[in-house]
Amino acid sequence: MDEWDLAIVGGGTAGIVAAKTAGRFGARVLLVESDRTGGDCLWTGCVPSKSLIAAAHAAYTVRTAARFGVHAGRPKVDDAAVLAYVRAAIARIEPVDSPAAISADGAQVVTGRAEFTGPGTLRVTGADGARAVRFRWAVLATGSVPVVPDLPGLAEADPLTTETLWNLDALPQRVAVLGGGPVGCELGQALARLGVRVTIVQRADRLLAKEEPEVGALLAERLRAEGVTVLTGANVERVDGGTVSLTGADPVVVDRILVATGRRPRTGGLGLAAAGVRCDERGRVVVDGLLRTSNRRIFAAGDVTGVLPFTHVAGVQGGYAATNALLGLRRRVDYAAVPWVTFTDPEVAHVGATLAQARRRHGDRVHCRRLTHEHVDRAIADGRPDGFTLLVIGPAGRLLGATVVSPRAGESIAELAAAIRRGAKVRDVAGTVHAYPTYADGPWNASLAQVRADLAGPLLSRAVGILCGLRRALHPVQGLRR
């Protein structure tokens, strides 16, 4: 029986980071991946979707260039070339996540299906048969899979998901996107910009329901302006071929259906019961703050935990799980300052608490500062003053959360995440000199506006008046010399 210090099940972001971290420590590390290393982010998620968004942005820029006095005409979209560009981006990044790259850091990679046979043992079944593995510690990092709702006629319509969309050779003419969350909005807008007639069907009463309420309204307005049909508060009753029947809206006739209604942890066939690993009622592997499962020798990281389904979180969890397991450390991920970005246009970036969340915790000691980007000079220069910044401010002026809606909001949110991480106050952001002109002026100007409002309060205003009076008395105006 093979013996390993650390056995890792799953070769996505969490598994790769765990393997490379442990390998650099000099540990004996085995990573088992059933398909191909790189995970959803490389093959079906972040990389292909952002590549498609880049192509769509290019088409949109050409289509709307006349507003700058540049008359380029209507763009011609070559579906095959666009999809080839997407696959080329994947191919360029693939070597970074390859078995060779992982092995270079000291871990062994095996292709096969892993199944726990006990609290400290695995059976790995591959092309060469089965092998028994004994481990001191393990990291479970099997990720998640798209959820396809059990709706009448949907399965027969051969719906697309984020795992199958990229297998197309050409884009369909009409698409219904089921789900108005980040994935549905990103892909819906991108497809529309590439010439597809898109209808987004959202069961909730607004898009991006987890964001501040005004975000969904702004994004829906923008999508509709680009020709996307946005249906909120609509439920799918059934699917008949290419007809999607809805509650509260007219039927939608399409060529393909793209399902973007969420994901579930990938835990089937892993033998978790034999390992003593517990899952909750939604199938998520239960972990404590140190990322340990109910079997203290087995850790879990990434989407399989259901904590926060983001690649950057999976990577951090993978590193922490490996170090906690091998070195006996007690490192905990600080989820209070984890940013996320929806890569629509405008981008929607968020970190920390929403206003509602903060008020549930701190009551009326919480307020917000909202600043539209109508006077952000970079936004004006780019013809994009339609965004806003919203800062959630707690007791003593501490920054508790932030939402930025603008082009490049994903870059602007980074400093706000750092501020929340170190417990900074809004005045700390205001006191930091920012480069001009950038979209980061939105958060900066919002912070400055809050500081000015604080100084205009009765107590501070009176104190400032007293200080000014003392300065006048101590430094009177000198007469002019003749």
Side-chain angles (χ1 to χ4, degrees):
M1 180 177 288
D2 293 340
E3 293 188 1
W4 301 86
D5 294 324
L6 186 67
I8 301 166
V9 182
T13 299
I16 290 172
V17 173
K20 289 187 173 186
T21 300
R24 292 175 188 136
F25 290 156
R28 283 176 49 81
V29 184
L30 175 69
L31 185 149
V32 183
E33 167 56 42
S34 62
D35 187 8
R36 50 191 178 181
T37 56
D40 299 325
C41 180
L42 173 62
W43 298 104
T44 63
C46 313
V47 175
S49 65
K50 303 314 169 278
S51 302
L52 187 75
I53 288 170
H57 178 73
Y60 178 78
T61 299
V62 172
R63 189 178 294 115
T64 60
R67 63 195 177 109
F68 298 106
V70 178
H71 301 279
R74 184 176 180 178
K76 180 182 179 181
V77 177
D78 183 338
D79 292 1
V82 168
L83 294 170
Y85 172 81
V86 171
R87 295 178 185 118
I90 295 172
R92 182 166 183 177
I93 297 173
E94 180 185 358
V96 179
D97 292 344
S98 67
I102 300 168
S103 299
D105 280 318
Q108 181 175 326
V109 180
V110 172
T111 301
R113 185 176 64 85
E115 181 180 358
F116 290 97
T117 54
T121 56
L122 277 171
R123 180 172 57 249
V124 179
T125 306
D128 298 328
R131 59 190 285 194
V133 172
R134 180 183 290 124
F135 57 83
R136 289 183 174 84
W137 297 279
V139 174
L140 186 61
T142 49
S144 61
V145 294
V147 172
V148 177
D150 185 14
L151 297 170
L154 180 58
E156 291 75 13
D158 188 23
L160 297 168
T161 69
T162 52
E163 291 193 343
T164 58
L165 173 65
W166 316 110
N167 298 330
L168 296 177
D169 296 320
L171 299 177
Q173 293 185 346
R174 301 167 298 178
V175 169
V177 179
L178 306 189
V183 174
C185 290
E186 286 182 6
L187 294 179
Q189 184 180 46
L191 291 171
R193 288 181 165 189
L194 292 169
V196 179
R197 291 170 55 188
V198 174
T199 300
I200 295 178
V201 181
Q202 168 72 325
R203 184 171 59 180
D205 61 357
R206 67 176 188 268
L207 300 178
L208 301 183
K210 293 183 179 180
E211 302 288 351
E212 299 285 0
E214 57 199 292
V215 171
L218 186 151
L219 185 57
E221 181 181 357
R222 179 59 186 266
L223 291 174
R224 289 181 177 122
E226 294 187 18
V228 177
T229 300
V230 178
L231 304 176
T232 56
N235 289 313
V236 177
E237 289 184 339
R238 64 184 182 278
V239 177
D240 298 306
T243 301
V244 181
S245 298
L246 306 170
T247 300
D250 294 333
V252 178
V253 179
V254 296
D255 301 302
R256 297 301 299 266
I257 297 171
L258 173 62
V259 176
T261 52
R263 302 178 68 87
R264 60 174 176 79
R266 185 186 282 112
T267 55
L270 294 175
L272 298 185
V277 174
R278 187 170 65 87
C279 297
D280 66 12
E281 65 281 356
R282 298 178 62 184
R284 301 173 297 190
V285 174
V286 178
V287 294
D288 63 11
L290 304 180
L291 298 172
R292 297 177 303 187
T293 69
S294 50
N295 178 343
R296 291 299 187 253
R297 297 174 63 181
I298 300 177
F299 293 68
D303 284 8
V304 75
T305 68
V307 177
L308 283 174
F310 303 113
T311 297
H312 45 291
V313 174
V316 171
Q317 287 180 331
Y320 277 33
T323 54
N324 287 348
L326 292 173
L327 305 182
L329 302 182
R330 301 181 64 83
R331 301 178 69 194
R332 297 172 182 266
V333 180
D334 181 6
Y335 299 111
V338 172
W340 62 74
V341 186
T342 300
F343 293 92
T344 48
D345 184 13
E347 292 180 359
V348 179
H350 174 83
V351 65
T354 63
L355 181 59
Q357 290 169 341
R359 282 179 172 165
R360 282 196 295 270
R361 181 174 181 181
H362 299 284
D364 58 6
R365 294 182 297 166
V366 171
H367 64 285
C368 71
R369 171 62 58 179
R370 185 185 187 279
L371 183 84
T372 64
H373 291 179
E374 295 172 328
H375 300 293
V376 173
D377 291 357
R378 180 55 184 272
I380 294 172
D382 286 353
R384 297 302 308 276
D386 51 333
F388 69 88
T389 295
L390 188 148
L391 304 179
V392 179
I393 305 165
R398 198 170 304 280
L399 183 63
L400 301 179
T403 295
V404 182
V405 181
S406 75
R408 304 189 185 102
E411 277 67 45
S412 300
I413 204 69
E415 70 159 328
L416 301 177
I420 293 173
R421 175 75 173 81
R422 65 175 186 267
K425 298 181 178 181
V426 173
R427 70 187 184 202
D428 297 320
V429 179
T432 302
V433 179
H434 290 61
Y436 172 90
T438 67
Y439 282 99
D441 281 348
W444 189 28
N445 290 345
S447 302
L448 289 169
Q450 182 59 46
V451 170
R452 294 190 192 101
D454 292 341
L455 291 173
L459 292 178
L460 284 177
S461 182
R462 184 178 180 185
V464 170
I466 292 172
L467 286 174
C468 287
L470 288 174
R471 295 287 290 173
R472 292 191 193 99
L474 292 173
H475 300 280
V477 176
Q478 301 296 318
L480 297 176
R481 291 185 178 182
R482 293 178 179 271

